[in-house]
């Protein structure tokens, strides 16, 4: 019975990849853990944002959490910027993070590209803020995708460095909970690329707010091949493999079972079945999201309540850290 912390950035259209890769897996965790699910708007600011859009996207991610089955009464849902402790702890932890550790972060290298001199301090320090997110609540379990594993290992290193410096176990080392391989959802237009909110064609992804007709249309138009019978082989048949694994993930059955079921089916028949499964699962989520988003005041109220509950957990932990460091009068 540990404490779970995870987050999603409010950077635009949430899609099937975000749902299967992250949010959906959190729903079940509520049964066994205290869960804190954050909309990490401070992380979003590490790349340029339009203020109105950032605001809208924060509400959108919040609505997606709830529509997908995260219970705002049982779990804590809030946006990062409302709890000042995230920024405060990030500064303190930054004083225990050697540049050498940050220089190893592959995501920074990718995002900064060839222009490292122009990259912002915020982007460079992104993993320190992420460590602060988790450690501010002494979270023990952190569900993340494979791409965030390195950041979480850094969080463990920072926690360890802090504990060693002060000779006590202030922070438990957070465990990554790496989500399954089926959680990797690829583009509907090119099975070798991840489904992404930045890909120009909207037909490359299924957005959580798409309605039934659009979901069906996107699956019908998804790239296919002309090999008879469905088989899973990501190298040879990336598109078929992606759609098979989406089917398995949505239905909650094994890939083997799905492959056996459609071994003799033409691609078009399989797509019809997939379309039904996708509409059945995602249709109601999209509907709930649209309903929630029609009442922004309600969402803002939930975020305020969530932030209050988050602060109640974070404040004593931050005070403990400050006392240990000698910046709070005992
Ligand atoms: N960096 C994560 C991502 O982009 C989001 C994130 C921020 C996060 N803080 C976190 C995830 C803390 C888990 C725990 O996916």
């Amino acid at each position: 019975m540990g404490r779970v912390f995870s987050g999603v950035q409010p950077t635009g259209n949430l899609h099937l990849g975000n749902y299967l890769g992250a949010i959906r897996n959190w729903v079940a965790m509520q049964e066994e853990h205290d869960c804190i699910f954050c909309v990490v708007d401070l992380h979003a600011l590490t790349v340029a944002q339009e203020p109105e859009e950032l605001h809208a996207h924060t509400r959108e991610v919040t609505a997606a959490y709830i529509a997908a089955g995260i219970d705002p009464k049982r779990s804590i849902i809030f946006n990062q910027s409302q709890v000042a402790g995230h920024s405060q702890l990030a500064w303190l932890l930054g004083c225990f993070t050697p540049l050498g550790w940050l220089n190893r972060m592959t995501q920074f290298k990718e995002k900064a590209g060839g222009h490292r001199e122009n990259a912002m301090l915020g982007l460079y320090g992104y993993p320190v803020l992420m460590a602060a997110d988790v450690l501010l609540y002494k979270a023990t379990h952190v569900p993340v995708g494979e791409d965030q594993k390195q950041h979480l290992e850094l969080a463990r290193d920072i926690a360890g460095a802090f504990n060693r410096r002060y000779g006590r176990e202030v922070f438990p080392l957070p465990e990554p909970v790496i989500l399954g391989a089926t959680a990797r959802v690829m583009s509907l237009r090119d099975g070798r690329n991840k489904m992404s909110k930045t890909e120009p064609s909207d037909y490359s992804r299924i957005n959580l707010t798409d309605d039934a007709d659009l979901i069906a249309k996107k699956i019908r138009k998804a790239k296919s091949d002309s090999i008879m019978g469905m088989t899973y082989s990501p190298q040879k048949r990336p598109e078929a493999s992606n759609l098979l694994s989406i089917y398995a993930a949505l239905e909650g059955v094994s890939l083997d079972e799905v492959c056996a079921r459609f071994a003799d089916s033409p691609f078009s028949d399989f797509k019809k079945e997939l379309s039904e499964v996708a509409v059945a699962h995602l249709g109601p989520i999209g509907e709930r999201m649209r309903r929630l988003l029609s009442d922004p005041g309600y969402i803002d109220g939930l975020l305020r309540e969530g932030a209050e509950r988050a602060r109640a957990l974070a404040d004593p932990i931050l005070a403990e850290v400050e006392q240990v460091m000698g910046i709070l009068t005992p």
Side-chain angles (χ1 to χ4, degrees), residues 133-195:
D133 294 342
V134 172
L135 299 177
L136 184 61
Y137 303 93
K138 299 193 180 186
T140 54
H141 296 80
V142 183
V144 283
E146 194 64 39
D147 64 324
Q148 295 297 317
K149 203 174 150 196
Q150 192 184 34
H151 288 160
L152 208 68
E153 274 157 12
L154 182 80
R156 290 167 61 89
D157 289 343
I158 296 172
F162 187 97
N163 291 345
R164 271 192 307 283
R165 165 62 185 87
Y166 295 105
R168 53 183 119 169
E169 291 297 301
V170 175
F171 298 118
L173 302 190
E175 290 287 340
V177 181
I178 303 295
L179 306 165
T182 41
R184 204 171 145 79
V185 178
M186 312 306 278
S187 159
L188 301 182
R189 292 264 121 149
D190 178 352
R192 283 159 307 202
N193 292 332
K194 251 175 95 167
M195 186 175 283

Side-chain angles (χ1 to χ4, degrees), residues 20 25-26 28 35 39 44 58-59 88 107-108 113 129 154 164-165 170 185 217 230 234 246 252 277 290 301 315:
L20 291 178
N25 304 285
W26 301 351
C35 294
V39 183
T58 298
R59 287 180 180 141
Q88 291 171 281
Q107 195 174 73
F108 174 75
L129 179 60
L154 182 80
R164 271 192 307 283
R165 165 62 185 87
V170 175
V185 178
K217 192 164 171 207
M230 300 303 293
I246 289 174
V277 165
R290 286 190 296 275
D315 286 352

Side-chain angles (χ1 to χ4, degrees), residues 5-9 40 43 126 130 133-134 142-144 148 151:
F5 185 100
S6 199
V8 165
Q9 291 192 48
V40 290
H43 276 106
Y126 176 116
M130 184 163 158
D133 294 342
V134 172
V142 183
V144 283
Q148 295 297 317
H151 288 160

Side-chain angles (χ1 to χ4, degrees), residues 16 20 184-189 191 195 203-204 206 218-225 230-232 237-250 255 258-259 262 267-268 270-275 277-278:
L16 184 62
L20 291 178
R184 204 171 145 79
V185 178
M186 312 306 278
S187 159
L188 301 182
R189 292 264 121 149
M195 186 175 283
Y203 279 83
S204 70
I206 295 174
K218 284 179 173 177
I219 292 175
R220 203 163 56 240
K221 289 183 165 255
K223 192 172 169 194
S224 57
D225 58 43
M230 300 303 293
T231 48
Y232 185 81
R237 302 183 70 186
E239 286 78 23
S241 305
N242 181 42
L243 296 182
L244 284 165
S245 85
I246 289 174
Y247 186 102
L250 285 172
L255 205 47
V258 178
C259 290
F262 296 105
F267 215 124
S268 55
F270 167 70
K271 276 184 168 180
K272 277 189 206 113
E273 301 279 337
L274 174 62
S275 176
V277 165

Side-chain angles (χ1 to χ4, degrees), residues 103-104 307:
N103 289 338
R104 288 205 295 269

